[in-house]
Short mmCIF file of all heavy atoms in Angstrom, two decimals:
data_model
loop_
_atom_site.label_atom_id
_atom_site.label_comp_id
_atom_site.label_asym_id
_atom_site.label_seq_id
_atom_site.Cartn_x
_atom_site.Cartn_y
_atom_site.Cartn_z
N GLU A 60 -11.96 -3.46 -2.50
CA GLU A 60 -11.72 -4.77 -3.10
C GLU A 60 -12.25 -4.73 -4.53
O GLU A 60 -13.29 -4.15 -4.79
CB GLU A 60 -12.42 -5.88 -2.31
CG GLU A 60 -11.83 -6.12 -0.94
CD GLU A 60 -12.52 -7.26 -0.22
OE1 GLU A 60 -13.44 -7.86 -0.82
OE2 GLU A 60 -12.16 -7.53 0.95
N ARG A 61 -11.51 -5.39 -5.44
CA ARG A 61 -11.90 -5.38 -6.84
C ARG A 61 -12.01 -6.79 -7.37
O ARG A 61 -11.21 -7.66 -7.05
CB ARG A 61 -10.88 -4.61 -7.67
CG ARG A 61 -11.29 -4.49 -9.13
CD ARG A 61 -10.16 -4.49 -10.11
NE ARG A 61 -9.03 -3.70 -9.72
CZ ARG A 61 -7.90 -4.23 -9.26
NH1 ARG A 61 -7.80 -5.54 -9.12
NH2 ARG A 61 -6.88 -3.49 -8.94
N GLU A 62 -13.02 -7.01 -8.20
CA GLU A 62 -13.18 -8.25 -8.94
C GLU A 62 -13.28 -7.91 -10.42
O GLU A 62 -13.92 -6.93 -10.79
CB GLU A 62 -14.43 -9.00 -8.49
CG GLU A 62 -14.41 -9.44 -7.03
CD GLU A 62 -15.70 -10.13 -6.62
OE1 GLU A 62 -16.60 -10.22 -7.48
OE2 GLU A 62 -15.79 -10.57 -5.47
N VAL A 63 -12.62 -8.71 -11.25
CA VAL A 63 -12.63 -8.50 -12.70
C VAL A 63 -13.23 -9.72 -13.36
O VAL A 63 -12.85 -10.86 -13.07
CB VAL A 63 -11.20 -8.25 -13.25
CG1 VAL A 63 -11.24 -8.07 -14.76
CG2 VAL A 63 -10.58 -7.04 -12.58
N GLU A 64 -14.17 -9.50 -14.27
CA GLU A 64 -14.83 -10.59 -14.95
C GLU A 64 -15.22 -10.13 -16.37
O GLU A 64 -15.85 -9.08 -16.53
CB GLU A 64 -16.09 -11.00 -14.18
CG GLU A 64 -16.78 -12.23 -14.72
CD GLU A 64 -15.96 -13.49 -14.56
OE1 GLU A 64 -15.15 -13.57 -13.62
OE2 GLU A 64 -16.12 -14.39 -15.39
N PRO A 65 -14.86 -10.89 -17.38
CA PRO A 65 -14.03 -12.10 -17.36
C PRO A 65 -12.55 -11.74 -17.42
O PRO A 65 -12.19 -10.60 -17.70
CB PRO A 65 -14.48 -12.83 -18.63
CG PRO A 65 -14.86 -11.72 -19.57
CD PRO A 65 -15.42 -10.63 -18.72
N ARG A 66 -11.71 -12.75 -17.18
CA ARG A 66 -10.26 -12.53 -17.21
C ARG A 66 -9.70 -12.70 -18.61
O ARG A 66 -8.57 -12.28 -18.87
CB ARG A 66 -9.56 -13.50 -16.26
CG ARG A 66 -9.88 -13.27 -14.78
CD ARG A 66 -9.37 -11.91 -14.33
NE ARG A 66 -9.57 -11.70 -12.90
CZ ARG A 66 -8.66 -11.98 -11.98
NH1 ARG A 66 -7.49 -12.47 -12.36
NH2 ARG A 66 -8.91 -11.75 -10.72
N VAL A 67 -10.43 -13.35 -19.50
CA VAL A 67 -10.02 -13.51 -20.89
C VAL A 67 -11.13 -12.95 -21.77
O VAL A 67 -12.27 -13.42 -21.71
CB VAL A 67 -9.75 -14.99 -21.24
CG1 VAL A 67 -9.32 -15.12 -22.70
CG2 VAL A 67 -8.68 -15.57 -20.33
N VAL A 68 -10.81 -11.94 -22.57
CA VAL A 68 -11.82 -11.28 -23.39
C VAL A 68 -11.27 -11.08 -24.80
O VAL A 68 -10.05 -11.14 -25.04
CB VAL A 68 -12.24 -9.92 -22.81
CG1 VAL A 68 -12.85 -10.08 -21.43
CG2 VAL A 68 -11.05 -8.97 -22.74
N VAL A 69 -12.18 -10.82 -25.71
CA VAL A 69 -11.81 -10.45 -27.07
C VAL A 69 -11.67 -8.94 -27.14
O VAL A 69 -12.40 -8.20 -26.46
CB VAL A 69 -12.88 -10.96 -28.07
CG1 VAL A 69 -12.58 -10.47 -29.49
CG2 VAL A 69 -12.96 -12.47 -28.03
N ARG A 70 -10.72 -8.47 -27.93
CA ARG A 70 -10.46 -7.03 -28.02
C ARG A 70 -11.73 -6.25 -28.32
O ARG A 70 -12.53 -6.63 -29.18
CB ARG A 70 -9.41 -6.76 -29.11
CG ARG A 70 -8.99 -5.29 -29.20
CD ARG A 70 -7.74 -5.15 -30.03
NE ARG A 70 -7.99 -5.25 -31.45
CZ ARG A 70 -8.17 -4.21 -32.25
NH1 ARG A 70 -8.16 -2.98 -31.75
NH2 ARG A 70 -8.35 -4.38 -33.54
N GLN A 71 -11.90 -5.16 -27.58
CA GLN A 71 -13.04 -4.25 -27.69
C GLN A 71 -14.35 -4.86 -27.20
O GLN A 71 -15.42 -4.28 -27.43
CB GLN A 71 -13.20 -3.73 -29.13
CG GLN A 71 -12.02 -2.90 -29.60
CD GLN A 71 -12.18 -2.40 -31.02
OE1 GLN A 71 -13.03 -2.87 -31.77
NE2 GLN A 71 -11.35 -1.45 -31.41
N SER A 72 -14.29 -6.01 -26.55
CA SER A 72 -15.50 -6.58 -25.97
C SER A 72 -15.60 -6.17 -24.50
O SER A 72 -14.69 -5.58 -23.94
CB SER A 72 -15.51 -8.10 -26.11
OG SER A 72 -14.45 -8.67 -25.36
N ALA A 73 -16.75 -6.51 -23.90
CA ALA A 73 -17.03 -6.03 -22.54
C ALA A 73 -16.18 -6.74 -21.51
O ALA A 73 -16.05 -7.97 -21.52
CB ALA A 73 -18.51 -6.23 -22.22
#
Side-chain angles (χ1 to χ4, degrees):
E60 292 182 2
R61 184 213 318 104
E62 297 178 358
V63 179
E64 186 67 29
R66 294 296 184 93
V67 180
V68 299
V69 175
R70 184 166 77 95
Q71 297 179 346
S72 64

